[in-house]
Amino acid sequence: AQSVTQLGSHVSVSEGALVLLRCNYSSSVPPYLFWYVQYPNQGLQLLLKYTTGATLVKGINGFEAEFKKSETSFHLTKPSAHMSDAAEYFCAVTLNTGTASKLTFGTGTRLQVTL
Amino acid sequence: AAGVIQSPRHLIKEKRETATLKCYPIPRHDTVYWYQQGPGQDPQFLISFYEKMQSDKGSIPDRFSAQQFSDYHSELNMSSLELGDSALYFCASSQRQGPYNSPLHFGNGTRLTVT
Protein backbone atom coordinates (compact mmCIF):
# COMPACT_ATOMS: atom_id res chain seq x y z
CA ALA A 1 0.00 0.00 0.00
CA GLN A 2 1.13 3.54 -0.62
CA SER A 3 0.22 6.90 0.87
CA VAL A 4 1.37 10.49 1.04
CA THR A 5 1.08 12.98 3.87
CA GLN A 6 1.03 16.69 3.20
CA LEU A 7 1.99 18.80 6.20
CA GLY A 8 -0.06 21.95 6.43
CA SER A 9 -3.47 22.29 4.81
CA HIS A 10 -2.89 26.03 4.32
CA VAL A 11 0.33 27.87 3.58
CA SER A 12 0.56 31.64 3.17
CA VAL A 13 3.57 33.42 1.70
CA SER A 14 4.30 36.92 0.51
CA GLU A 15 4.81 37.58 -3.17
CA GLY A 16 8.49 37.05 -3.95
CA ALA A 17 9.08 34.79 -0.95
CA LEU A 18 10.16 31.16 -1.00
CA VAL A 19 7.42 28.57 -1.40
CA LEU A 20 7.86 25.27 0.46
CA LEU A 21 5.09 22.67 0.41
CA ARG A 22 5.86 19.49 2.31
CA CYS A 23 5.08 15.92 1.28
CA ASN A 24 6.18 12.66 2.86
CA TYR A 25 5.42 9.30 1.35
CA SER A 26 5.00 5.75 2.52
CA SER A 27 5.52 2.93 0.07
CA SER A 28 6.48 -0.72 0.20
CA VAL A 29 8.18 -0.56 -3.21
CA PRO A 30 10.02 2.21 -5.05
CA PRO A 31 7.42 4.93 -5.67
CA TYR A 32 6.65 7.28 -8.47
CA LEU A 33 5.86 10.70 -7.00
CA PHE A 34 3.99 13.62 -8.46
CA TRP A 35 2.84 17.12 -7.67
CA TYR A 36 -0.40 18.38 -9.18
CA VAL A 37 -1.91 21.86 -8.99
CA GLN A 38 -5.62 22.60 -9.02
CA TYR A 39 -7.08 26.02 -9.71
CA PRO A 40 -10.70 26.72 -8.68
CA ASN A 41 -13.25 24.73 -10.67
CA GLN A 42 -10.56 23.15 -12.81
CA GLY A 43 -8.94 19.77 -13.18
CA LEU A 44 -5.57 18.76 -11.82
CA GLN A 45 -2.53 19.85 -13.78
CA LEU A 46 0.75 17.99 -13.53
CA LEU A 47 3.54 20.18 -12.14
CA LEU A 48 6.34 17.63 -12.03
CA LYS A 49 7.10 13.97 -11.50
CA TYR A 50 9.81 11.73 -10.08
CA THR A 51 10.21 8.25 -11.51
CA THR A 52 13.86 7.23 -11.64
CA GLY A 53 17.20 8.95 -12.15
CA ALA A 54 17.91 12.48 -10.97
CA THR A 55 16.43 13.16 -7.56
CA LEU A 56 15.98 16.88 -8.18
CA VAL A 57 13.20 17.35 -10.68
CA LYS A 58 12.15 20.57 -12.29
CA GLY A 59 8.61 21.27 -13.33
CA ILE A 60 6.51 23.96 -14.88
CA ASN A 61 6.06 27.51 -13.57
CA GLY A 62 9.45 27.50 -11.82
CA PHE A 63 8.60 24.72 -9.35
CA GLU A 64 10.97 21.94 -8.40
CA ALA A 65 11.02 19.04 -5.97
CA GLU A 66 13.69 16.80 -4.52
CA PHE A 67 13.20 13.10 -3.85
CA LYS A 68 14.96 12.18 -0.58
CA LYS A 69 14.73 8.48 0.07
CA SER A 70 16.39 8.74 3.48
CA GLU A 71 13.70 11.18 4.60
CA THR A 72 10.87 9.65 2.53
CA SER A 73 10.12 13.16 1.36
CA PHE A 74 9.26 14.93 -1.87
CA HIS A 75 8.88 18.59 -0.91
CA LEU A 76 7.84 21.15 -3.52
CA THR A 77 9.67 24.46 -3.71
CA LYS A 78 9.74 27.66 -5.71
CA PRO A 79 12.30 30.40 -5.04
CA SER A 80 9.94 33.32 -5.57
CA ALA A 81 6.15 33.16 -5.22
CA HIS A 82 3.87 34.88 -7.69
CA MET A 83 0.26 35.82 -7.18
CA SER A 84 -0.73 33.39 -9.91
CA ASP A 85 0.67 30.51 -7.82
CA ALA A 86 -2.31 30.71 -5.45
CA ALA A 87 -4.03 27.34 -5.81
CA GLU A 88 -4.46 23.92 -4.21
CA TYR A 89 -1.45 21.62 -4.50
CA PHE A 90 -1.66 17.86 -4.26
CA CYS A 91 1.18 15.44 -3.76
CA ALA A 92 0.50 11.98 -5.20
CA VAL A 93 2.15 8.57 -5.30
CA THR A 94 1.82 5.52 -7.46
CA LEU A 95 3.65 2.25 -7.21
CA ASN A 96 6.48 1.27 -9.50
CA THR A 97 5.15 -2.23 -10.01
CA GLY A 98 5.08 -2.47 -13.77
CA THR A 99 1.33 -2.43 -14.04
CA ALA A 100 -1.26 0.27 -14.53
CA SER A 101 -1.44 1.69 -11.03
CA LYS A 102 -3.76 4.32 -9.61
CA LEU A 103 -2.59 7.58 -8.09
CA THR A 104 -3.13 8.10 -4.39
CA PHE A 105 -3.36 11.75 -3.40
CA GLY A 106 -2.50 13.62 -0.27
CA THR A 107 -5.09 15.84 1.35
CA GLY A 108 -3.82 18.92 -0.41
CA THR A 109 -2.23 22.22 0.61
CA ARG A 110 -3.88 25.50 -0.25
CA LEU A 111 -1.26 28.10 -1.11
CA GLN A 112 -2.15 31.73 -0.52
CA VAL A 113 0.10 34.46 -1.88
CA THR A 114 -0.18 37.93 -0.38
CA LEU A 115 1.16 41.29 -1.51
CA ALA B 1 -2.48 19.56 -27.61
CA ALA B 2 -5.62 17.52 -27.11
CA GLY B 3 -6.71 17.05 -23.52
CA VAL B 4 -9.09 14.80 -21.65
CA ILE B 5 -12.67 15.80 -22.41
CA GLN B 6 -15.44 15.30 -19.90
CA SER B 7 -19.12 15.88 -20.38
CA PRO B 8 -21.23 17.37 -19.11
CA ARG B 9 -19.38 20.05 -17.12
CA HIS B 10 -22.29 20.47 -14.74
CA LEU B 11 -25.15 18.14 -13.88
CA ILE B 12 -28.03 18.60 -11.48
CA LYS B 13 -30.07 15.57 -10.49
CA GLU B 14 -32.60 14.71 -7.83
CA LYS B 15 -32.27 11.96 -5.26
CA ARG B 16 -32.86 8.47 -6.61
CA GLU B 17 -32.29 9.58 -10.21
CA THR B 18 -29.55 8.23 -12.45
CA ALA B 19 -26.66 10.04 -14.09
CA THR B 20 -24.16 9.19 -16.80
CA LEU B 21 -20.80 10.92 -17.02
CA LYS B 22 -18.65 10.64 -20.12
CA CYS B 23 -14.91 10.81 -20.58
CA TYR B 24 -12.89 11.02 -23.78
CA PRO B 25 -9.19 10.32 -23.16
CA ILE B 26 -6.26 11.87 -24.91
CA PRO B 27 -5.73 10.16 -28.30
CA ARG B 28 -3.61 6.98 -28.02
CA HIS B 29 -4.10 6.84 -24.26
CA ASP B 30 -5.27 3.36 -23.35
CA THR B 31 -5.99 3.71 -19.62
CA VAL B 32 -8.80 5.66 -18.02
CA TYR B 33 -9.25 6.46 -14.33
CA TRP B 34 -12.26 7.89 -12.48
CA TYR B 35 -11.88 9.97 -9.34
CA GLN B 36 -14.42 11.58 -7.01
CA GLN B 37 -13.55 14.82 -5.20
CA GLY B 38 -15.91 16.01 -2.49
CA PRO B 39 -15.93 19.64 -1.31
CA GLY B 40 -12.58 20.46 0.25
CA GLN B 41 -11.41 16.87 -0.15
CA ASP B 42 -8.62 15.19 -2.05
CA PRO B 43 -9.56 13.12 -5.10
CA GLN B 44 -10.57 9.58 -4.25
CA PHE B 45 -9.95 6.81 -6.76
CA LEU B 46 -13.06 5.03 -7.97
CA ILE B 47 -12.14 2.70 -10.82
CA SER B 48 -9.81 2.33 -13.79
CA PHE B 49 -9.77 0.58 -17.15
CA TYR B 50 -6.93 -0.58 -19.36
CA GLU B 51 -7.66 -1.68 -22.90
CA LYS B 52 -11.38 -1.84 -22.14
CA MET B 53 -10.94 -4.15 -19.16
CA GLN B 54 -11.30 -3.09 -15.53
CA SER B 55 -7.78 -2.81 -14.14
CA ASP B 56 -8.32 -1.57 -10.60
CA LYS B 57 -11.18 -0.78 -8.27
CA GLY B 58 -11.29 1.69 -5.42
CA SER B 59 -14.02 3.08 -3.26
CA ILE B 60 -16.74 2.90 -5.88
CA PRO B 61 -20.26 2.28 -4.52
CA ASP B 62 -22.20 -0.68 -5.84
CA ARG B 63 -24.73 1.82 -7.22
CA PHE B 64 -22.07 3.02 -9.66
CA SER B 65 -20.78 1.16 -12.69
CA ALA B 66 -18.39 2.08 -15.45
CA GLN B 67 -17.02 0.76 -18.68
CA GLN B 68 -14.53 1.62 -21.39
CA PHE B 69 -15.64 1.31 -24.99
CA SER B 70 -13.85 0.22 -28.16
CA ASP B 71 -12.93 3.83 -28.96
CA TYR B 72 -11.42 4.09 -25.43
CA HIS B 73 -13.97 6.57 -24.14
CA SER B 74 -15.45 5.72 -20.78
CA GLU B 75 -18.77 6.24 -19.06
CA LEU B 76 -19.54 6.32 -15.36
CA ASN B 77 -23.13 5.35 -14.59
CA MET B 78 -24.57 6.36 -11.26
CA SER B 79 -27.94 5.11 -10.05
CA SER B 80 -30.13 5.77 -7.02
CA LEU B 81 -28.32 9.03 -6.48
CA GLU B 82 -27.86 10.27 -2.93
CA LEU B 83 -27.13 13.75 -1.60
CA GLY B 84 -23.65 12.55 -0.64
CA ASP B 85 -22.85 11.82 -4.28
CA SER B 86 -22.61 15.56 -4.92
CA ALA B 87 -19.00 16.07 -5.91
CA LEU B 88 -16.59 16.83 -8.70
CA TYR B 89 -15.94 13.74 -10.79
CA PHE B 90 -12.65 13.63 -12.65
CA CYS B 91 -11.56 11.42 -15.42
CA ALA B 92 -7.86 10.95 -16.18
CA SER B 93 -6.05 9.08 -18.89
CA SER B 94 -2.59 7.71 -19.37
CA GLN B 95 -0.61 5.58 -21.79
CA ARG B 96 1.37 2.45 -21.13
CA GLN B 97 5.02 3.10 -21.99
CA GLY B 98 6.76 -0.23 -21.81
CA PRO B 99 5.85 -1.68 -18.43
CA TYR B 100 4.88 1.65 -16.91
CA ASN B 101 2.30 4.38 -17.33
CA SER B 102 2.76 7.94 -18.44
CA PRO B 103 1.60 10.47 -15.85
CA LEU B 104 -2.14 10.88 -15.50
CA HIS B 105 -3.70 13.75 -17.43
CA PHE B 106 -6.93 15.00 -15.91
CA GLY B 107 -10.04 16.46 -17.46
CA ASN B 108 -11.73 19.52 -16.00
CA GLY B 109 -14.29 17.37 -14.26
CA THR B 110 -18.06 17.06 -14.07
CA ARG B 111 -19.67 18.81 -11.14
CA LEU B 112 -22.62 16.72 -10.01
CA THR B 113 -25.17 18.27 -7.68
CA VAL B 114 -27.83 16.02 -6.18
CA THR B 115 -30.84 17.83 -4.70
Side-chain angles (χ1 to χ4, degrees), chain A residues 26-80:
Chain A
S26 172
S27 176
S28 55
V29 298
Y32 284 177
L33 294 159
F34 306 82
W35 276 98
Y36 281 83
V37 60
Q38 186 178 29
Y39 297 98
N41 297 315
Q42 293 190 26
L44 297 114
Q45 181 182 6
L46 180 67
L47 274 179
L48 48 79
K49 63 176 179 176
Y50 168 77
T51 53
T52 58
T55 55
L56 181 63
V57 292
K58 295 185 184 297
I60 62 172
N61 302 339
F63 284 93
E64 62 182 38
E66 186 171 9
F67 173 68
K68 291 187 177 180
K69 186 177 179 180
S70 61
E71 300 177 7
T72 61
S73 68
F74 190 58
H75 302 331
L76 181 70
T77 61
K78 182 174 180 178
S80 177

Side-chain angles (χ1 to χ4, degrees), chain B residues 44-91:
Chain B
Q44 295 293 314
F45 172 72
L46 292 177
I47 195 167
S48 63
F49 293 87
Y50 169 65
E51 285 290 346
K52 292 150 279 183
M53 298 289 289
Q54 181 180 308
S55 58
D56 201 355
K57 193 172 182 179
S59 52
I60 183 169
D62 292 339
R63 299 178 289 108
F64 295 6
S65 65
Q67 57 182 326
Q68 186 179 30
F69 294 87
S70 57
D71 64 351
Y72 294 100
H73 95 272
S74 179
E75 295 184 2
L76 177 65
N77 299 293
M78 310 159 71
S79 63
S80 302
L81 287 169
E82 302 174 356
L83 295 178
D85 296 329
S86 296
L88 199 52
Y89 289 84
F90 288 109
C91 172

Side-chain angles (χ1 to χ4, degrees), chain A residues 36 38 43 96 98 102-103 106, chain B residues 35 37 42 45 90 99-100 104 107:
Chain A
Y36 281 83
Q38 186 178 29
N96 178 7
K102 63 181 182 288
L103 274 180
Chain B
Y35 281 82
Q37 186 179 29
D42 55 294
F45 172 72
F90 288 109
Y100 306 116
L104 272 61

